[in-house]
Amino acid sequence: MGHVINYRLIRLYANVVAFRGRTKGERRKIRGKILQAYTDKAYTIAQFKGTESSLPDRALPAAVLESRIFSRAQDILFPREVETAEKIMVFVVPEHNEMSGGIFSMFSIANQMRLFKSIHGYEIIMLTRPNPECLTFLRQTCFRNAETVFRFEQLLRCANARDIYMHLPEYASEYLMWDLSDDAKNFLQNLDTLHINLLNQNIWLMPEREKFESLFELTDNVTQSVAHHAYFSQEYTDRYNIPSLLLPAYTDLGEYTPTDFKDKENLIIYSLDDAPHKEQVLERISRELPQYRLLEIRNITFDKYMEYATRCRFSISFGEGFDGYVAQPIHMGGIGLTVYNDEFFPSDHFLNYRNIFKSADDMVENIVDTIRDLAADGRAYTELNRAFCAEYDMLYSIKEYREQVKKLALKQFELLPTKDHEVRRNHVLAS
């Protein structure tokens, strides 16, 4: 029983420390580091890869026990066409069945890749990343999809594999070599071709080059696909010193019906991100606009989120800003509010819009008046919504999205590191 108590205390400590992270992804990253450093020996990889734990199932943490059950199902369901394939495209996903824009995007890209199989020739599979707790899941239940998810170690069953094209979330690039078993490393290093593409979907989570340098022990073929226009540039290509491709996240909202201004509810939804100004903003709204219901978006499915995004009159992003907490309510006829930042917004001309605040202090000072004024003027509200939708239409389209996925499938990267930068890197490696 002591093992279970220790494990729970470690997880509690990890969850408390993780509150320092600004976003859900950052918090998960902090938790992962702590759990990796302190996880009790009773839960090591060896015990969950063929060697049974001495603890009875009833004494195991629920997540570990669930993962054992999922693993048994994965062993039965692993697709024969993948097991016998020579070319395999792997999407590495977080080991938790949770909702985030980045996870949604990974499943979307994989789905689009299936449509281009006649062009690229890869069998496609989604694998949970290797992790010290050996956690995994079978189906992503937070949004609609048809994927069955497997675990990374099952890739070793693919004895015929000669060419693997791996898409790895940016935050995991720092830890992959640390988390891989020796057998997995040997398997990957002995392939004829291994290409690792980093899904750089959040610049705040993308580690600096030296943090993912270990990937080059597996292959020289490391690239990135970039989800935001703001950090798709020669500057960032040189910063990470890997070829880059722009792949803007696209969410098809065609199945959801927008509502007009008059049908909106006095509901304000907001992101679960931690931000220094969050408490002040919410306190001011609660005090000065008591007619509004405030609702934090947490632990719900995408369909449920879209229900709120359709009903709400306003939404607030306390995270990236140029994200789904603003975009999706706007596409549903509402107004999203956030603070401008250079890391995610494609241009500072977005500061010309009333719903984009120039700073956290600006939001705290003016958000109540902004909400009050727009709610009182249906015409101004609707015109702002249409203008912002037009901005998105210029940046995102299903046609462009599919064209970029096709480029990724064919490894047609758009920006290469400059020659001088590559020379400097080679000099460092040689020394």
Side-chain angles (χ1 to χ4, degrees), residues 183-202:
D183 287 343
K185 290 176 187 175
N186 291 334
F187 174 83
L188 294 173
Q189 288 170 334
N190 287 319
L191 294 166
D192 293 342
T193 302
L194 172 63
H195 186 138
I196 300 177
N197 180 65
L198 306 185
L199 297 168
N200 185 355
Q201 300 183 112
N202 185 328

Side-chain angles (χ1 to χ4, degrees), residues 70 118 159 258 271 310 324 360 401 426:
F70 291 141
S118 62
S271 71
T310 302
Y401 177 60
N426 290 336

